[in-house]
Amino acid sequence: MYAFVTGPLAWLSFGIFFVGILVRIVIYIRGLNWQMDRVAYQAFPAAGIRGAVRSVVYWLLPYGTHSWRYYPFFTLLVFVFHICLLVTPVFLLGHNLLLQERWGFSLWTLPEGVADGMTVALIIAGVFILLRRIALPEVRILTKPYDILVLVIAVAPFVTGFCAYHQLGNYDAWLIAHILSGELMLVAIPLTKLSHFALFFLSRIQLGMDFGIKRGGMKNKGMAW
Amino acid sequence: MPEGKLCNKQTVDTKEQLNALLADKSGKQYYQELKALDVDGDALWATLQKTCKSRLRTWLEICAHCGMCADSCYFYLANNKDPKQVPSYKIQSTLGELVKRKGQVDAAFMEHVMDVAWSQCSCCNRCGMYCPFGIDMGVMFGYLRGLCFSQGFVPWELKIGSGMHRIYRAQMDVTTEDWVETCEWMVEEYEDDWPKLEIPVDKPNADFIYTVNAREVKHYPEDLAEAAILFHIAGENWTVPSEGWEETSLAMFAGDWAACKMQVESVYDAMDRLKPKRMVVTECGHAYRATVIEGPYWAGLKNGQTPVESIHYVEWVAEALRSGKLKIDPSKRIKEPVTYQDSCNYIRNAGLKESAREIMSHIAEDFIEMKPCKEHNFCCGGGGGLNGIGRYREQRNIGLKVKRDQILATGAKLVVAPCHNCWDAIRDLEEIFHIGIRWSFLKPLLLKMVEVPEHLKPEE
């Protein structure tokens, strides 16, 4: 079982992840149309790039925009959640040992205590994000089972990984569950709204170019996100 | 396929059609027929497949349903935070459903979509600034309005409005003759006070052509005179085109993209014909948005620019004050606290916040910003065509509360509102809430405080 999930299944899920993301990016860009979107994407490259960079960078900075500052607590949850989600698995000691064993190289790794703390932080942030969905009427009305499912898919590898690392109960079962849930997430990224992994950037770049080229970017210092 | 006599999928291209619609008081029969209007689901789906691409599809799909757009929407705030006013909910339950059902919907659903698209969103685009993914629901509602229009589901006044553009190339029944006569009439009215005042019509190669809002011609011709006097004082070499003088676009509010194209092309034709160096647009927000910002795309101009450089009136005023073409008499500057209404269409969506501030620094001694302001300002409450739709008057009036409270918080009793829709909305909010404010375009204020060169004064 272990050999299967870390062998063919791993190859398959990484394959779907990488190819899927690439396909999403290509489809997105090909579907843009200067006249239908009413943005002259190619006419003013400098203004376009400037608008795009501003639109991405300000939103990547914690509390970098009016909106992030308007919702300080939720912003904290969002950044903790995403930073932990992206950093922990890539720089986890265990994952890098595996990488060393299979591929003969590894990345810089997080001290185990820090990785553990980040996992817990992510799970707590996930719980609060879920509670917020239920508690706030303006979020509850938008929430569909699909939104909860996507959240569960994103958090599951961390819960199972945490249980396996701390050997709570049956280690082998947790380990298999961890690997499967991680693979499920990889597959889900291009196929569900987790595609915002890539589409966040494309969508922000698009709107940034819209404001940068057409909606005022060439008349002032740029949109005050 | 049942089509109403007045409410149908046909565009209004003849005076007979237009008169029939106008004769239907408040659109009573029109809205009755609307209830029975058949929806061509296949056509709707074909349009969706062809036009709902990358940007819109992605926005519909990746919306995280996080609710961060909620407080950005003045309708949500004005309606006691009704969750049904959350922008994401409004667009997902309308455009999102249309896509999900592949266009197979009935008249009752389309009527609901129409009501949401015109009475719960003024396309101010503020939500787009508060969404982490940059989902601009104002853009989406603009698109949705186009879908509604194609199926005949459009508010009565806007069906008429788009027809006006199709027939008169103006939002009102103002003909070329009416327009030129109004120009002449205004010169006659004011030339005693302003010797050599002129409104040159169709003068080729001028420094700029000046284009207006048909409402000024029909209802406030003195606005045109004031513009002419200020250009006269500034010593400008300007002209107005006899055709292609109308900047506004009720067709844009209606989602009638073909009429939008016809309208802006009339202006671009005037540019080609008269070869001015630039164009100056009157104090109107949506007019500038339509003809300068969106228009080039409707007309298929690949660089997204008008044939000659086009500036808004606030840019012209800022330039004239900076260069000294217009000089303000320091003793006549506005002494009382005064605030400025940032129009969504030329501030948030066209980047002219600094021009407005520059003007205020010249004309006001106690300028107080609204909070929030500049590109983060709230819509006046009357944008997107909402001021003119009787069916949604009540919803519009509720929405005005946000602007009322913003103005009250400044403590100013005078609001400078260089945009027709803002000006109207602020006038209406004073009529409804009696908060004791005054409001004004720039032209009358400037005329009261500019220094007039000796040689332009009438001889005693």
Side-chain angles (χ1 to χ4, degrees):
Chain A
M1 185 68 173
Y2 180 77
F4 176 68
V5 295
T6 59
L9 211 55
W11 277 104
L12 185 68
S13 44
F14 272 104
I16 294 173
F17 169 71
F18 282 114
V19 173
I21 287 292
L22 204 67
V23 168
R24 295 296 301 235
I25 294 171
V26 170
I27 289 178
Y28 184 90
I29 295 172
R30 284 174 59 107
L32 292 174
N33 179 306
W34 71 272
Q35 193 165 14
M36 221 147 54
D37 305 342
R38 304 209 290 262
V39 181
Y41 294 114
Q42 293 174 0
F44 300 94
I49 291 167
R50 191 162 149 270
V53 169
R54 288 178 60 89
S55 171
V56 173
V57 169
Y58 279 101
W59 283 91
L60 284 180
L61 293 174
Y63 303 101
T65 65
H66 284 71
S67 189
W68 288 138
R69 291 191 289 274
Y70 189 89
Y71 299 99
F73 182 62
F74 184 54
T75 299
L76 181 72
L77 294 180
V78 169
F79 277 91
V80 166
F81 188 86
H82 284 89
I83 291 169
C84 295
L85 187 91
L86 293 169
V87 171
T88 320
V90 176
F91 300 108
L92 189 83
L93 180 64
H95 290 175
N96 278 282
L97 288 175
L98 205 64
L99 208 57
Q100 184 72 44
E101 185 188 308
R102 299 265 171 113
W103 295 67
F105 78 96
S106 65
L107 306 168
W108 173 85
T109 57
L110 286 163
E112 289 197 275
V114 173
D116 210 30
M118 288 174 79
T119 304
V120 173
L122 177 136
I123 295 168
I124 292 171
V127 168
F128 273 100
I129 288 171
L130 182 67
L131 290 177
R132 177 179 174 276
R133 275 211 177 283
I134 299 161
L136 300 183
E138 73 270 29
V139 191
R140 192 165 60 230
I141 195 171
L142 301 172
T143 300
K144 304 219 161 81
Y146 177 40
D147 296 305
I148 312 239
L149 176 71
V150 164
L151 184 65
V152 169
I153 290 174
V155 176
F158 293 84
V159 174
T160 52
F162 183 82
C163 293
Y165 176 73
H166 291 282
Q167 313 218 348
L168 307 172
N170 184 337
Y171 171 76
D172 289 340
W174 280 123
L175 185 65
I176 298 291
H178 173 64
I179 296 165
L180 281 173
S181 60
E183 288 168 352
L184 178 65
M185 179 162 80
L186 284 176
V187 171
I189 287 173
L191 301 180
T192 67
K193 65 168 73 178
L194 291 178
S195 53
H196 74 260
F197 173 81
L199 293 173
F200 162 84
F201 294 95
L202 295 174
S203 181
R204 283 238 63 89
I205 289 169
Q206 193 281 329
L207 194 73
M209 291 179 83
D210 185 333
F211 278 108
I213 294 167
K214 181 175 90 165
R215 288 196 262 170
M218 299 201 286
K219 293 267 184 170
N220 62 29
K221 289 185 225 133
M223 173 59 75
W225 297 106
Chain B
M1 173 169 308
E3 288 268 298
K5 214 169 132 259
L6 300 174
C7 184
N8 49 49
K9 297 181 183 61
Q10 310 305 312
T11 53
V12 176
D13 295 290
T14 66
K15 285 184 189 171
E16 290 71 40
Q17 284 172 290
L18 191 62
N19 289 336
L21 274 166
L22 286 165
D24 176 26
K25 199 105 179 71
S26 314
K28 225 172 142 197
Q29 185 190 336
Y30 177 89
Y31 285 124
Q32 236 156 27
E33 290 177 4
L34 184 133
K35 289 189 180 300
L37 193 57
D38 239 10
V39 183
D40 185 347
D42 295 339
L44 207 46
W45 182 231
T47 307
L48 280 167
Q49 282 177 302
K50 220 167 69 191
T51 59
C52 190
K53 291 270 186 78
S54 284
R55 182 176 62 156
L56 298 171
R57 284 283 171 130
T58 301
W59 282 347
L60 281 174
E61 187 191 340
I62 65 172
C63 172
H65 298 159
C66 70
M68 282 178 79
C69 54
D71 281 32
S72 74
C73 179
Y74 70 97
F75 273 117
Y76 172 76
L77 298 175
N79 285 281
N80 301 316
K81 304 203 165 195
D82 177 359
K84 290 202 161 159
Q85 291 279 0
V86 175
S88 170
Y89 177 80
K90 289 187 272 197
I91 198 69
Q92 296 279 350
S93 62
T94 52
L95 180 60
E97 276 300 303
L98 270 178
V99 172
K100 212 179 282 170
R101 299 195 209 169
K102 298 191 190 311
Q104 304 305 322
V105 295
D106 58 15
F109 181 79
M110 283 305 284
E111 188 180 0
H112 166 70
V113 171
M114 176 184 86
D115 288 342
V116 176
W118 275 280
S119 77
Q120 297 183 18
C121 176
S122 57
C123 298
C124 79
N125 305 90
R126 192 168 188 269
C127 49
M129 303 183 61
Y130 285 77
C131 170
F133 293 162
I135 300 175
D136 189 335
M137 283 152 277
V139 168
M140 298 172 94
F141 270 110
Y143 172 77
L144 182 61
R145 288 176 176 200
L147 295 178
C148 288
F149 183 88
S150 72
Q151 292 293 317
F153 290 85
V154 57
W156 173 71
E157 290 89 344
L158 293 181
K159 182 89 174 193
I160 293 171
S162 83
M164 289 284 183
H165 285 290
R166 286 171 172 272
I167 298 163
Y168 295 99
R169 296 294 184 273
Q171 63 158 282
M172 292 174 181
D173 50 351
V174 179
T175 62
T176 299
E177 293 72 43
D178 297 337
W179 157 243
V180 174
E181 272 170 28
T182 306
C183 291
E184 289 163 359
W185 169 41
M186 281 300 110
V187 171
E188 281 164 27
E189 281 289 305
Y190 286 86
E191 67 190 346
D192 286 348
D193 294 336
W194 300 95
K196 294 193 185 141
L197 179 71
E198 51 172 358
I199 300 180
V201 180
D202 282 341
K203 185 166 96 180
N205 308 311
D207 285 343
F208 62 84
I209 52 169
Y210 178 61
T211 48
V212 303
N213 179 328
R215 208 168 78 135
E216 293 166 355
V217 187
K218 189 144 175 158
H219 299 306
Y220 309 99
E222 60 279 12
D223 189 282
L224 178 62
E226 288 162 356
I229 293 165
L230 286 163
F231 292 148
H232 180 61
I233 294 171
E236 294 286 16
N237 170 21
W238 66 296
T239 188
V240 294
S242 58
E243 281 176 19
W245 49 270
E246 163 71 304
E247 282 287 313
T248 70
S249 185
L250 296 185
M252 174 171 77
F253 292 154
D256 180 357
W257 309 128
C260 287
K261 182 170 190 280
M262 295 175 196
Q263 180 60 48
V264 298
E265 281 180 342
S266 74
V267 178
Y268 301 163
D269 286 347
M271 292 176 175
D272 289 341
R273 196 172 71 244
L274 300 174
K275 311 230 173 321
K277 292 193 185 74
R278 298 202 289 183
M279 173 170 78
V280 177
V281 179
T282 189
E283 294 176 69
C284 185
H286 96 273
Y288 182 78
R289 176 86 179 269
T291 311
V292 180
I293 306 295
E294 311 291 347
Y297 298 95
W298 296 325
L301 303 176
K302 272 197 146 173
N303 63 357
Q305 304 290 305
T306 49
V308 300
E309 187 195 356
S310 302
I311 61 172
H312 190 269
Y313 194 74
V314 297
E315 291 179 277
W316 177 78
V317 173
E319 259 183 40
L321 291 171
R322 198 183 314 140
S323 66
K325 277 184 182 174
L326 287 181
K327 286 196 185 69
I328 301 295
D329 178 343
S331 68
K332 293 180 180 164
R333 298 171 79 195
I334 303 168
K335 305 278 187 294
E336 64 174 311
V338 55
T339 189
Y340 187 96
Q341 162 59 16
D342 286 301
S343 154
C344 305
N345 278 322
Y346 70 82
I347 303 278
R348 170 154 47 253
N349 291 300
L352 303 184
K353 60 182 172 182
E354 296 311 334
S355 297
R357 269 74 209 164
E358 191 176 349
I359 295 168
M360 294 311 285
S361 76
H362 279 96
I363 68 170
E365 292 185 358
D366 190 5
F367 170 47
I368 302 169
E369 292 276 16
M370 288 188 206
K371 279 185 190 148
C373 62
K374 301 177 184 168
E375 55 268 79
H376 289 270
N377 192 27
F378 285 109
C379 170
C380 59
L386 203 47
N387 271 339
I389 308 173
R391 181 178 165 104
Y392 306 131
R393 184 43 50 110
E394 195 191 328
Q395 289 91 324
R396 200 278 314 246
N397 290 351
I398 292 170
L400 294 175
K401 286 193 292 189
V402 172
K403 187 53 59 187
R404 175 199 65 187
D405 295 346
Q406 260 192 303
I407 294 172
L408 281 173
T410 64
K413 294 292 175 204
L414 177 61
V415 185
V416 177
C419 165
H420 276 271
N421 272 320
C422 297
W423 191 95
D424 277 11
I426 292 167
R427 175 200 59 202
D428 289 358
L429 82 81
E430 173 59 26
E431 273 178 18
I432 296 163
F433 300 113
H434 306 292
I435 59 172
I437 52 165
R438 288 163 290 118
W439 56 95
S440 179
F441 285 113
L442 279 169
K443 294 179 196 107
L445 294 174
L446 288 168
L447 264 183
K448 274 188 246 163
M449 59 178 91
V450 286
E451 290 177 353
V452 181
E454 279 307 317
H455 70 279
L456 295 182
K457 291 178 180 167
E459 285 170 32
E460 293 303 322

